[in-house]
Amino acid sequence: MSDIQDKLIKIFKNPKVQAELSISSGMIAISHPVSAAVVNAFKEAATLSDEIRFSYLLKGLASGLNQETFTIDLLNYVKASEDNASHVASSLRKAVLTDSPIVCTLMGRIIADHVAEKRKYDKSDIIVVHALESATDDDLMCFRKMIKTASDNGDIAVSDEYNDCAEWCVNNRLCKESKGTYNEETKSLTLFPGIIVCEPAERLSKYLYEIKGIFSWNS
């Protein structure tokens, strides 16, 4: 096993950590401050610097895992492969280096989804996690609005309101640039500045939908 696996396994096997994680997994609204035992344990794995950030990370984790098997599932996922351990550690580290509560929560939810489904991180997940490193809450709220304007074939006509968000999406490989659409009926090409929604953008949209209850978003 790698050093990362060994470290995370040691942390998750700690009885205090298991007890705290089991309790926390049953709650979406986790009280602050988060238990010192849990905070200190994850500091050892990911150099945590802020309990408020960590509380959002834990909310994301708790929102997607079964209360009874929370710690066991997390431990088994880390033990399954060095790849799994590396991605969990990376997501933890990136979560607590951000100033965005939404990013912290998303990182926790992404980990939770992979653990619950025993699913490896694929290319789209890696792109999403990388994109979130540079995201702000405003970026993600704008992204939620913009993605809803996509046509059935995934085209988004970018207005002034979404210029910055579209640029962020393209730069981080969530979307591709679109030069226009072809109308089959009129046999004409309509040029407009736009983007095409790719799998990573769809994946990010799904993760945002899954944490909407934590932030009281209506849809």
Side-chain angles (χ1 to χ4, degrees), residues 163-219:
N163 274 338
D164 290 343
C165 183
E167 183 177 357
W168 173 73
C169 286
V170 171
N171 288 342
N172 286 284
R173 299 192 295 161
L174 296 168
C175 300
K176 293 180 179 178
E177 287 184 291
S178 172
K179 298 189 182 298
T181 57
Y182 182 73
N183 189 310
E184 189 66 41
E185 292 183 4
T186 62
K187 307 296 183 184
S188 62
L189 179 67
T190 303
L191 297 176
F192 63 90
I195 57 176
I196 301 171
V197 176
C198 299
E199 170 60 25
E202 293 177 357
R203 191 77 57 86
L204 175 56
S205 181
K206 167 184 172 288
Y207 289 135
L208 281 165
Y209 180 80
E210 289 175 347
I211 66 167
K212 67 186 180 72
I214 296 173
F215 292 95
S216 300
W217 297 329
N218 293 326
S219 59

Side-chain angles (χ1 to χ4, degrees), residues 72-91:
I72 295 172
D73 290 345
L74 196 54
L75 173 61
N76 287 340
Y77 185 79
V78 169
K79 289 174 66 176
S81 75
E82 292 186 13
D83 223 28
N84 290 355
S86 177
H87 286 305
V88 168
S90 176
S91 296

Side-chain angles (χ1 to χ4, degrees), residues 10-210:
K10 178 182 176 182
I11 288 166
F12 295 143
K13 280 186 174 179
N14 184 311
K16 290 182 180 179
V17 175
Q18 290 188 28
E20 293 295 342
L21 289 177
S22 295
I23 293 169
S24 297
S25 65
M27 301 181 294
I28 297 301
I30 299 172
S31 61
H32 179 75
V34 181
S35 164
V38 180
V39 175
N40 289 336
F42 279 91
K43 276 183 180 178
E44 186 179 343
T47 319
L48 299 182
S49 60
D50 189 313
E51 286 189 10
I52 294 176
R53 289 189 183 101
F54 182 77
S55 71
Y56 280 106
L57 171 65
L58 192 55
K59 287 177 186 179
L61 277 167
S63 72
L65 291 171
N66 180 277
Q67 181 178 1
E68 299 299 323
T69 62
F70 183 95
T71 308
I72 295 172
D73 290 345
L74 196 54
L75 173 61
N76 287 340
Y77 185 79
V78 169
K79 289 174 66 176
S81 75
E82 292 186 13
D83 223 28
N84 290 355
S86 177
H87 286 305
V88 168
S90 176
S91 296
L92 289 170
R93 184 177 67 254
K94 290 174 181 178
V96 296
L97 292 176
T98 180
D99 290 325
S100 164
I102 298 176
V103 170
C104 286
T105 309
L106 280 170
M107 290 297 192
R109 181 66 198 207
I110 290 169
I111 293 171
D113 276 7
H114 284 77
V115 171
E117 299 168 14
K118 298 180 177 61
R119 177 165 59 89
K120 291 184 177 295
Y121 281 64
D122 60 18
K123 182 179 179 180
S124 291
D125 288 315
I126 294 169
I127 289 173
V128 168
V129 169
H130 178 74
L132 289 175
E133 279 191 274
S134 63
T136 65
D137 280 359
D138 287 342
D139 289 331
L140 293 169
M141 295 305 293
C142 186
F143 174 83
R144 288 184 71 248
K145 292 169 59 180
M146 184 182 73
I147 205 75
K148 293 177 183 178
T149 70
S151 66
D152 291 341
N153 62 358
D155 282 325
I156 295 177
V158 179
S159 62
D160 289 342
E161 179 184 2
Y162 299 130
N163 274 338
D164 290 343
C165 183
E167 183 177 357
W168 173 73
C169 286
V170 171
N171 288 342
N172 286 284
R173 299 192 295 161
L174 296 168
C175 300
K176 293 180 179 178
E177 287 184 291
S178 172
K179 298 189 182 298
T181 57
Y182 182 73
N183 189 310
E184 189 66 41
E185 292 183 4
T186 62
K187 307 296 183 184
S188 62
L189 179 67
T190 303
L191 297 176
F192 63 90
I195 57 176
I196 301 171
V197 176
C198 299
E199 170 60 25
E202 293 177 357
R203 191 77 57 86
L204 175 56
S205 181
K206 167 184 172 288
Y207 289 135
L208 281 165
Y209 180 80
E210 289 175 347

